[in-house]
Amino acid sequence: MAHAAVPTAAQLSHYIPDLEPACKFCSTAIQTSDANDDPGTLESENIAHYFWACPRIRDFWQRVSRFLQDIRTETAGPVFQVDLRMVATGFGAWSKRLPNVDALHGLAVWEIYRARAELSLEGTIHSGEAMFIRWKLSLMQRINQDFIYAFTQLKAAHSFHNRWLMVSNRWYHFDPGENELSGNFDKERFEVELEFVQCLANPWYINIIAQQGYFDKPEFVNYLKYLKYWQRPEYARFVVYPHALAFLDLLQHKSFREEIKRVDEATRIHELQYHHWRWPSYQEDSTAVVPAPSTNGN
């Protein structure tokens, strides 16, 4: 951006005959807001207009500004408001008031470039609100990726804490307790419990441990109750096989724990599960995928 390396319409119009230097986002915004505006008065799409002055882009930055101001836990001092200088140089001046300002700024700039590329290549037009929503989704995906990486590298936990948790905010958190927030979490326990929960997606695996009598042990039933924390959104995002969470819920019921001991029942559930994966709209005609849990037992 600082070197004006992004190919804008104003630059390309010098090399491509008949190419209008006007911003396509602007013409779209004007046509949808006021048909009496004269398209000839549109600004050229130079680098400043590309990332800042365009009405749709300004709307996007205003939404980003309001969001980042709202998630601050320490509201003393100036109000966070993105300006042209911050668009060009980043949010470094706010590093003590907002988490990972490099990622906040970088993903926002990327979202603008991405939206404009989609307009040029596919004719897809995104509003400032749509760009803002995608930016938030990309940001949370980045946080999740960094969090998962923290479990695979020795020094990653400390780095994750410094980037995302050093400055508290009102948007995201990691439960339960200070152990995970500080990076001193039990990596082995996390991996073992996640692996076991994901194994529950396989009805044959559940059938085997049921036949071995594990479900008859009160301490194991209590363990299954404890594992329900994986159904919370902050943990469920790590589960690759969502059927595992459905079976974990069913295993809270004694009736299901008894039924799954039978090979024919495990076979029936496995077949229905296969049909569901292959044809998501598949439903059995007369019975549910699994028997309805009894209201009398736990």
Side-chain angles (χ1 to χ4, degrees), residues 8-20:
T8 64
Q11 289 178 323
L12 295 176
S13 64
H14 295 295
Y15 307 100
I16 303 177
D18 302 325
L19 178 65
E20 292 291 335

Side-chain angles (χ1 to χ4, degrees), residues 196-203 205-211 214-218 220-228 231 243-261 269 290-294 297-298:
F196 174 73
V197 167
Q198 296 202 113
C199 286
L200 297 180
N202 186 343
Y205 177 80
I206 301 176
N207 172 258
I208 291 173
I209 60 177
Q211 290 185 358
Y214 283 96
F215 295 155
D216 299 327
K217 301 177 181 180
F220 195 83
V221 173
N222 288 335
Y223 181 63
L224 292 173
K225 293 180 181 178
Y226 156 77
L227 291 175
K228 281 179 66 67
Q231 294 177 327
H243 281 194
L245 299 179
F247 284 124
L248 177 62
D249 195 48
L250 288 167
L251 284 170
Q252 308 302 316
H253 303 279
K254 185 176 181 179
S255 58
F256 179 75
R257 296 196 298 268
E258 291 296 327
E259 289 289 336
I260 199 62
K261 291 179 181 180
I269 294 175
V290 292
S294 171
N298 292 324

Side-chain angles (χ1 to χ4, degrees), residues 148-260:
I148 294 173
Y149 184 71
F151 285 95
T152 63
Q153 301 294 328
L154 183 61
K155 298 181 180 179
H158 180 71
S159 177
F160 176 83
H161 179 270
N162 289 342
R163 289 196 304 268
W164 294 110
L165 302 176
M166 186 68 74
V167 180
S168 61
N169 67 89
R170 296 180 179 142
W171 183 35
Y172 61 84
H173 65 281
F174 293 92
D175 270 342
E178 293 298 324
N179 286 336
E180 291 188 0
L181 292 179
S182 65
N184 298 323
F185 41 75
D186 189 338
K187 175 176 177 290
E188 182 177 357
R189 177 178 172 181
F190 178 91
E191 292 177 338
V192 169
E193 291 182 354
L194 175 59
E195 181 177 0
F196 174 73
V197 167
Q198 296 202 113
C199 286
L200 297 180
N202 186 343
W204 288 115
Y205 177 80
I206 301 176
N207 172 258
I208 291 173
I209 60 177
Q211 290 185 358
Q212 292 177 349
Y214 283 96
F215 295 155
D216 299 327
K217 301 177 181 180
E219 59 272 21
F220 195 83
V221 173
N222 288 335
Y223 181 63
L224 292 173
K225 293 180 181 178
Y226 156 77
L227 291 175
K228 281 179 66 67
Y229 77 86
W230 284 98
Q231 294 177 327
R232 292 157 52 184
E234 60 265 32
Y235 289 96
R237 63 174 177 263
F238 298 109
V239 178
V240 178
Y241 310 108
H243 281 194
L245 299 179
F247 284 124
L248 177 62
D249 195 48
L250 288 167
L251 284 170
Q252 308 302 316
H253 303 279
K254 185 176 181 179
S255 58
F256 179 75
R257 296 196 298 268
E258 291 296 327
E259 289 289 336
I260 199 62

Side-chain angles (χ1 to χ4, degrees), residues 75-121:
T75 57
V79 175
F80 181 83
Q81 181 64 50
V82 177
D83 55 29
L84 179 57
R85 180 186 59 81
M86 294 170 66
V87 172
T89 62
F91 302 162
W94 288 80
S95 60
K96 295 182 185 277
R97 299 184 180 98
L98 291 170
N100 203 349
V101 291
D102 290 339
L104 299 178
H105 174 262
L107 289 175
V109 171
W110 162 249
E111 180 56 42
I112 295 172
Y113 181 82
R114 176 187 179 188
R116 286 188 174 277
E118 289 173 343
L119 175 59
S120 299
L121 297 175

